[in-house]
Amino acid sequence: MTYTQTQDSLTGGVPDQGEVLRVLEPDGSRVPDATLDPWVSDLSPHELRALHRDMVLTRRLDAEGVALQRQGQLALWAPCRGQEAVQVGTAHALAPGDFVFPSYREHGVLLGRGAQPADYVLAWRGEEHSAYDHTTINAAPPQIIIGAQSLHATGWAMGAQRDGSTDVAVAYYGDGATSQGDVNEAMVFASSFRAPVVFVCSNNQWAISEPVTVQAKYPIAGRAPGFGIPSLRIDGNDALACVAAMRWALDRARRGEGPSFIEAVTYRMGPHTTSDDPTRYRDSGEVEAWAQRDPIERLEAYLRAEGILDDGGLEEVARAADALAAEVRAACIGATTRAPETMFDHVYAEPHGGLERQRAEYAEYLAGFEGEGSR
């Protein structure tokens, strides 16, 4: 077991992350780690640049989502700034056939799975039932119910197991979700049936206004072994550590060794959602201290030192990020709002009398508003 339980290793939202595995220090310097090193030793310069590129694109996409919400184009947005390494790093380790079950904050995971510009915004704009066609990117719709996706992932994994597939399910959730019964029940099933599922907990220190110390008095990774699930506690601002941990977990699952748990210790730099004001419960000094551990700057420093990335490469990435943001904005503002009664169109595969009755009643309700503007 790679996890050691100590009281001092719980961060409680302070800059010292405690006992975590990493291969990149905050300044970008490389440090040896016997557990993680074997899983990233083969990363090519091309793969490392792609990792950095997707992290930059994720941050730019996230900033555009916040701006669109502030401008009244989206009803809500859940920012992910500061968590790019966890999301992009783990997503880059996945195989095409693997299936992810994200929460509402995993924009970088969706980017890694091939989401299109409109996929990020149409659901938050209220234009679609779901965010995208899950069959095209192997990603379930973002889950709003805290922790429910862990059960969905475990069920999918058990199905893949019975089909004789080597594909793996991945459930993403935050530290607050670990207090939910769904997460614990999913881990019971996953362990009992040796399901090929990976649980990725992004410990971003805050569950809305509650610090992680309310969720756990000891590091969250220490819970998984109690279910019979091996775990790693990694520096979630170290993209290479995130790739390595996910590769380790996926390898175990594909070899029939069952589930794994990854606690990625990171920080939510922005609000919980755009309806939240974190200045009411967080100290500015804490935020600034975590800003010094920025995951993109860390990887960029390493790539520059290794001669893998230069100014020209950074400029190209910046242009790509701006282009993505422009496409997302165009997809949002240019969306065509369908007639309200079309919300009934895809509830059932076949016509249903009860549904038709509801459609008629709703049409009558809408008709009641006609002509009000001229009164």
Side-chain angles (χ1 to χ4, degrees):
M1 186 187 306
T2 57
Y3 170 76
T4 302
Q5 181 168 290
T6 64
Q7 179 68 48
D8 292 340
S9 59
L10 185 61
T11 70
V14 298
D16 183 11
Q17 291 172 304
E19 195 173 304
V20 295
L21 302 179
R22 65 167 65 94
V23 294
L24 292 181
E25 294 284 9
D27 64 1
S29 59
R30 190 77 158 78
V31 291
D33 184 273
T35 300
L36 300 179
D37 282 342
W39 298 104
V40 289
S41 61
D42 65 336
L43 287 176
S44 68
H46 172 74
E47 290 172 314
L48 290 168
R49 284 191 293 268
L51 187 64
H52 170 267
R53 182 181 187 275
D54 281 359
M55 288 170 65
V56 174
L57 262 61
T58 296
R59 180 164 295 185
R60 183 66 183 86
L61 158 69
D62 185 54
E64 196 66 24
V66 172
L68 286 166
Q69 194 282 327
R70 298 306 191 205
Q71 294 161 8
Q73 297 296 332
L74 299 179
L76 189 73
W77 184 262
C80 68
R81 182 168 177 264
Q83 298 180 223
E84 296 89 355
V86 181
Q87 298 183 8
V88 175
T90 56
H92 268 237
L94 298 171
D98 297 332
F99 207 102
V100 302
F101 293 80
S103 77
Y104 43 76
R105 200 183 305 279
E106 269 77 41
H107 313 307
V109 174
L110 299 180
L111 180 79
R113 298 307 279 168
Q116 298 303 302
D119 294 342
Y120 302 103
V121 290
L122 292 189
W124 294 115
R125 189 177 167 87
E127 305 291 358
E128 299 287 349
H129 286 293
S130 182
Y132 39 75
D133 180 355
H134 68 275
T135 63
T136 62
I137 63 173
N138 274 17
Q143 181 58 252
I144 299 298
I145 302 173
I146 305 299
Q149 67 273 26
S150 57
L151 286 170
H152 306 159
T154 299
W156 189 96
M158 291 171 65
Q161 182 185 56
R162 282 151 180 74
D163 288 341
S165 171
T166 58
D167 295 331
V168 180
V170 184
Y172 288 90
Y173 46 80
D175 48 286
T178 61
S179 294
Q180 294 290 331
D182 286 3
V183 171
N184 293 273
E185 290 160 12
M187 292 172 72
V188 169
F189 269 86
S191 178
S192 297
F193 292 95
R194 299 178 70 85
V197 58
V198 181
F199 300 103
V200 179
C201 172
S202 295
N203 178 358
N204 65 19
Q205 310 303 313
W206 290 93
I208 309 183
S209 60
E210 297 290 357
V212 69
T213 47
V214 176
Q215 309 295 335
K217 294 304 179 185
Y218 291 91
I220 296 170
R223 297 181 183 182
F227 292 94
I229 300 175
S231 67
L232 292 180
R233 189 171 197 260
I234 62 171
D235 185 336
N237 285 15
D238 177 356
L240 298 190
C242 295
V243 173
M246 182 57 93
R247 283 182 163 187
W248 163 80
L250 293 171
D251 180 70
R252 292 192 68 256
R254 298 196 208 286
R255 289 189 286 107
E257 295 186 6
S260 303
F261 185 97
I262 298 170
E263 179 191 357
V265 181
T266 181
Y267 195 80
R268 166 170 56 80
M269 295 302 297
H272 177 73
T273 69
T274 47
S275 64
D276 172 41
D277 177 9
T279 62
R280 297 178 63 184
Y281 56 82
R282 289 197 316 201
D283 181 79
S284 60
E286 173 188 307
V287 178
E288 178 57 33
W290 276 94
Q292 304 307 309
R293 298 173 177 267
D294 185 272
I296 296 178
E297 293 179 4
R298 181 184 306 201
L299 181 59
E300 183 178 313
Y302 171 70
L303 297 182
R304 277 184 172 276
E306 293 294 311
I308 296 173
L309 189 64
D310 57 19
D311 289 342
L314 289 173
E315 291 172 2
E316 186 281 325
V317 169
R319 287 193 295 271
D322 286 340
L324 173 61
E327 292 173 354
V328 169
R329 174 170 287 272
C332 177
I333 296 176
T336 300
T337 301
R338 294 182 294 177
E341 56 269 25
T342 61
M343 65 183 291
F344 295 97
D345 287 353
H346 302 291
V347 178
Y348 290 98
E350 300 293 336
H352 187 280
L355 192 66
E356 291 306 314
R357 189 163 52 252
Q358 292 179 43
R359 186 196 298 268
E361 292 171 353
Y362 186 56
E364 183 179 354
Y365 167 75
L366 292 174
F369 294 97
E370 293 179 2
E372 282 197 355
S374 60
R375 292 178 184 174

